[in-house]
Amino acid sequence: MALPIWALVTDGMRARILRRLDSVDGEDPVELFSTSGVRHLRDSMDSTSRDDLSADDDEGDVTSDAPGGPIRKDMEEFAHDILGFLELHRRADDFERLAIFAGPLMLGVLQMALPASLKRILVAERALNLITLPEAELRKRVLQLIHENDIRRGA
């Protein structure tokens, strides 16, 4: 019997968690996990418009995804929330294997924040943005990617 596996698919603003990928009939639906908003980006943009920056000011892009930038901060908070949710379910023995598929920037954020307990059960991770795929297609694609990863690892 396959160990219960879940997959996280995220673009940094939205996340979809596919539960029980090992079940044949896909009985468990996709668990949607949404952000509460882009608080840091919104605050930064509000601050910039209030400051009435002139066109030749070199203040940098308020939408920066650089470390410490507002987009990055929002992604880090979202990653913390997602990983906390996954860790609670791991502790409850809801799954024993985890796969992560995220856009390149978000994958880096997740890798930095991933607790050791989830790292130990990570069976696949890829820098792919699959968030917009329909549910059935998403499930099929994720299973295919996990299978390809298992073959590469010799599992």
Side-chain angles (χ1 to χ4, degrees), residues 76-135:
E76 288 169 352
E77 286 181 9
F78 189 45
H80 176 76
D81 291 345
I82 296 167
L83 296 173
F85 176 84
L86 289 170
E87 180 60 16
L88 284 172
H89 282 276
R90 185 204 59 81
R91 287 182 188 160
D93 292 326
D94 291 334
F95 65 97
E96 296 178 29
R97 300 188 324 152
L98 176 66
I100 297 176
F101 304 96
L105 180 59
M106 186 59 174
L107 184 59
V109 169
L110 288 165
Q111 288 169 331
M112 298 277 292
L114 200 65
S117 57
L118 292 176
K119 281 182 187 176
R120 280 192 297 276
I121 63 169
L122 193 61
V123 296
E125 62 180 337
R126 295 275 293 272
L128 289 173
N129 186 355
L130 305 173
I131 198 78
T132 60
L133 291 178
E135 187 171 340

Side-chain angles (χ1 to χ4, degrees), residues 40-55 57 59-63:
H40 294 289
L41 177 58
R42 187 175 42 242
D43 291 349
S44 179
M45 291 178 83
D46 286 348
S47 172
T48 300
S49 64
R50 279 193 307 269
D51 293 343
D52 193 32
L53 296 174
S54 66
D57 275 346
E59 292 292 319
D61 183 4
V62 297
T63 63

